[in-house]
Each structure stands twice: as structure tokens, then as C-alpha cells.
Amino acid sequence: MQPPKIKGLYHYSFPCRDGEETRHFYEDILGLPLVACMMSDKVPSTGEEKPYAHFFFEMGDGSYIAFFDLGENQMPEPSPNTPGWVMHFAVEVASVAEVEAMGERLKASGVSVTPVVDHHFIKSIYFFDPNGLRLEVTARVDEPGYLEEQAREAHDVLKAWGAKKAKLLANA
């Protein structure tokens, strides 16, 4: 039996240190409107007693980035076994000019931003939100047919990575 087709991203949630600090960053700087906020003293999925606020910022495609303020004013801790550049959330804008404009807007707000990185199929900037979440703002620059070619090669490339990884682990 085939699984149901996943339609798209509904939301991605991350913890935050302070709800208002996070709202300012996402709404006032990045321009994502705050569209929902709910408070509860109990976690619906587990029944755990834990006061929190859960709030959502809407992206242009109708998906959301959401946050939990757990009321403790603690920064989320990074994964101890993962480099800081690995875990990130990427959002897309319409053009490289918009990537650059967002970079300038962020810098004007005191946010440290990488120069535009050319990945050959996208161009991106990277920065951290107030909670330590690494974000990427990107625009597609791929040639026609690029994604179809990648799809045709993906399984073979993953298999080659598995062989390379086995050698790396054997030599570690």
C-alpha cells in the first residue's frame, strides 16, 4: 500500500528563549506576520503539565515557522555532536536581488550575515536568529533540467556516499 502523498510543510517548530524577542526578529525584521499564538498549561500530545506559549509566523506559501516559549528564558542548546552549520531552516525568496536585500536588512538590524554563497543551483545567505537557529535565505538559479537530473542521480550518489562513509569509519 502506498503512503499518502505529503502535500508540503505545514509548520516547523523550534524552542525560543523569549517570545517577544522572537516575534520582533521574525515579524519586524524578516517580515513574517505573527498569525497565531496559543497558551496552555498542558501538552496535548503527551498530557504533560507544562505551561507554554506556541506561536506561528506565516510564510508566503501558507506554511509556518513556529516557536514554543517554555517560560524559562533559556537558550535552546545546540546538538553536542553536530557542527553548527548543519542544522538550519531554509526559506526561499524570488531572486538573488531579494537575497541580497534581506542580507542588508539583517545587517542594518545588527545581525551577522554571511556573504552570498553560490551553491550553483541556489544562492544563499546564512545567519542565526535570537534562539541560535541557523537560517538560510535562498533563491533558485538552477538551469532548466537541473532538478530532474539530480533526481535521476540521487540514489546512485547516496550509494556512493555510503561506500565513502564506510571507508571513513573504517579509518577512524
Side-chain angles (χ1 to χ4, degrees):
M1 182 163 114
Q2 290 287 347
K5 184 168 180 74
I6 294 176
K7 182 177 161 184
L9 177 70
Y10 181 72
H11 75 267
Y12 173 81
S13 287
F14 197 77
C16 73
R17 173 179 51 199
D18 180 83
E20 176 53 27
E21 174 185 55
T22 300
R23 187 222 50 85
H24 169 70
F25 185 84
Y26 282 87
E27 190 168 45
D28 298 342
I29 298 174
L30 292 185
L32 299 177
L34 176 67
V35 296
C37 184
M38 54 203 73
M39 293 189 309
S40 184
D41 290 324
K42 192 173 190 177
V43 180
S45 62
T46 67
E48 178 183 355
E49 297 287 334
K50 177 65 182 152
Y52 66 85
H54 188 31
F55 48 101
F56 296 74
F57 300 92
E58 187 173 18
M59 293 186 276
D61 66 353
S63 63
Y64 306 91
I65 186 165
F67 293 87
F68 283 97
D69 185 332
L70 302 176
E72 298 165 352
N73 282 350
Q74 292 183 339
M75 276 291 276
E77 293 185 18
S79 174
N81 67 344
T82 306
W85 51 267
V86 171
M87 295 178 66
H88 66 280
F89 189 83
V91 295
E92 183 179 357
V93 294
S95 68
V96 175
E98 288 186 5
V99 170
E100 293 166 343
M102 184 64 81
E104 292 306 314
R105 181 175 177 84
L106 288 158
K107 287 184 222 172
S109 296
V111 177
S112 179
V113 180
T114 67
V116 173
V117 177
D118 185 353
H119 296 286
H120 307 293
F121 63 100
I122 56 173
K123 291 189 178 184
S124 306
I125 56 171
Y126 297 88
F127 53 95
F128 288 91
D129 84 350
N131 307 297
L133 175 59
R134 190 169 200 228
L135 297 168
E136 174 183 1
V137 173
T138 193
R140 297 176 195 224
V141 295
D142 54 301
E143 296 293 324
Y146 174 81
L147 293 176
E148 294 80 8
E149 179 182 341
Q150 289 295 304
R152 283 191 301 273
E153 297 174 357
H155 286 90
D156 291 337
V157 173
L158 186 57
K159 188 178 288 185
W161 168 249
K164 181 176 182 172
K165 178 180 170 182
K167 289 179 185 175
L168 291 169
L169 291 171
N171 294 328

